[in-house]
Amino acid sequence: MRDTATGARDRAEAVVGDRMLYLESRAVRRDGRALGDVLIVRDRTDLIALTERLEAVRTMTSALRVQRHEFANRLHVAAGLIDAGRVDDARAFLDELVSRGPVAFPVTGLDLVGDPFLHAFLGAKGVEAAERGVALRIAADTQVIGTVRRAEDVASVLGNLVDNAVVAAVAGAREPRWVEVSVLSDGDALVVTVADSGEGLRPSDPRPHADDGSADSVHGHGMGLPLATEIARRSGGDLWIIDSGGPDHGAVFAARLGDAVDPAPRVPKEDR
């Protein structure tokens, strides 16, 4: 009986067109003689897309958990004041909460984002960024008229850009570390711009991602950006680089998602 064996594995990831592939190569030997190599190709596009969507859900869950914790703290304070017989102080505290509004996320300019989904999503991203020492802020030109739809696609693209920008800001030497997001509606399209305080893109890599799928350790040029690009293009939009970086800021990315906004104004229930 002849002995056939495979050697050590070589693994790599590649982007081919709009597909994300996982490659595994093994050397094959038979009776001590090299027969060649076996290349195993696995299409991981759908799996990675599902992972991105699950990450968006995790972010929203995190936002809700932060809000629940904050509301619980507020109720405990009010209850403690009442139990102590300090009713006037409890009333004043509750009046202050009403005037202050919802839970405050650590995101400057978040009030400019009127859409409930985007508000909560960017608020949650702000919490995650703050934990890494990065300030997330909303650009003054942000304006979304209407209501965001296809929330999963929006979360996948915007979340990927924000996460990459946070990584770049953490890796950069500039302080304070920041990420700035601009969100604009254009009819039924959503246009997002994300800038950071990092070092910018490498001069040898001017594209959103390399054709061979090679990964960039800072801006996530492996699977994340190709997937976000594919999602944007599937809607008739695209993802591109506005600026590779300058003396005062790092890279600036933009994405356009078609059919992502219902331009009809939101009508309160009592007005229907």
Side-chain angles (χ1 to χ4, degrees):
M1 182 175 180
R2 296 188 176 184
D3 179 27
T4 303
T6 57
R9 304 176 182 179
D10 291 324
R11 299 183 178 91
E13 294 177 336
V15 179
V16 180
D18 60 355
R19 311 305 295 177
M20 273 61 74
L21 305 179
Y22 176 85
L23 310 177
E24 183 176 309
S25 175
R26 300 185 186 182
V28 179
R29 304 181 65 86
R30 188 181 182 98
D31 293 334
R33 183 166 58 92
L35 299 180
D37 297 292
V38 174
L39 180 64
I40 301 172
V41 181
R42 298 186 178 96
D43 189 339
R44 299 181 63 195
T45 306
D46 294 337
L47 177 60
I48 296 173
L50 178 60
T51 302
E52 291 289 332
R53 293 179 187 277
L54 290 175
E55 175 63 21
V57 172
R58 187 199 64 78
T59 299
M60 293 303 298
T61 302
S62 175
L64 293 174
R65 184 165 55 249
V66 170
Q67 289 183 323
R68 182 188 63 81
H69 181 72
E70 181 64 20
F71 278 122
N73 287 341
R74 293 177 176 184
L75 290 176
H76 288 157
V77 172
L81 291 173
I82 293 173
D83 290 342
R86 299 168 57 183
V87 178
D88 291 340
D89 289 339
R91 182 180 295 277
F93 176 72
L94 292 173
D95 288 342
E96 180 185 352
L97 294 184
V98 171
S99 63
R100 189 188 307 171
V103 174
F105 289 109
V107 180
T108 302
L110 188 58
D111 290 343
L112 295 172
V113 184
D115 178 79
F117 166 75
L118 282 178
H119 189 282
F121 183 75
L122 289 172
K125 286 298 182 185
V127 173
E128 293 178 350
E131 291 175 349
R132 304 190 64 183
V134 179
L136 180 63
R137 66 196 190 203
I138 307 301
D141 61 353
T142 288
Q143 185 179 43
V144 178
I145 300 175
T147 305
V148 168
R149 55 192 176 197
R150 295 177 52 231
E152 292 179 347
D153 286 349
V154 172
S156 294
V157 174
L158 179 57
N160 189 279
L161 292 179
V162 171
D163 289 345
N164 289 346
V166 170
V167 172
V170 171
R174 290 190 183 95
E175 291 190 1
R177 294 179 169 88
W178 53 265
V179 170
E180 184 173 88
V181 178
S182 172
V183 188
L184 295 167
S185 59
D186 182 12
D188 69 351
L190 188 70
V191 181
V192 300
T193 304
V194 180
D196 61 65
S197 61
E199 301 297 329
L201 299 178
R202 297 172 300 181
S204 60
D205 190 13
R207 296 162 294 174
H209 59 84
D211 293 336
D212 62 0
S214 58
D216 181 281
S217 60
V218 176
H219 280 89
H221 290 189
M223 295 299 184
L225 283 178
L227 177 62
T229 302
E230 191 272 333
I231 292 174
R233 289 176 179 174
R234 190 173 59 205
S235 69
D238 206 348
L239 187 151
W240 65 97
I241 297 171
I242 295 178
D243 192 334
S244 61
D248 300 322
H249 61 80
V252 182
F253 284 80
R256 179 185 179 91
L257 291 95
D259 192 33
V261 177
D262 181 358
R266 179 183 293 271
V267 180
K269 291 183 178 179
E270 58 269 20
D271 296 337
R272 294 177 185 173

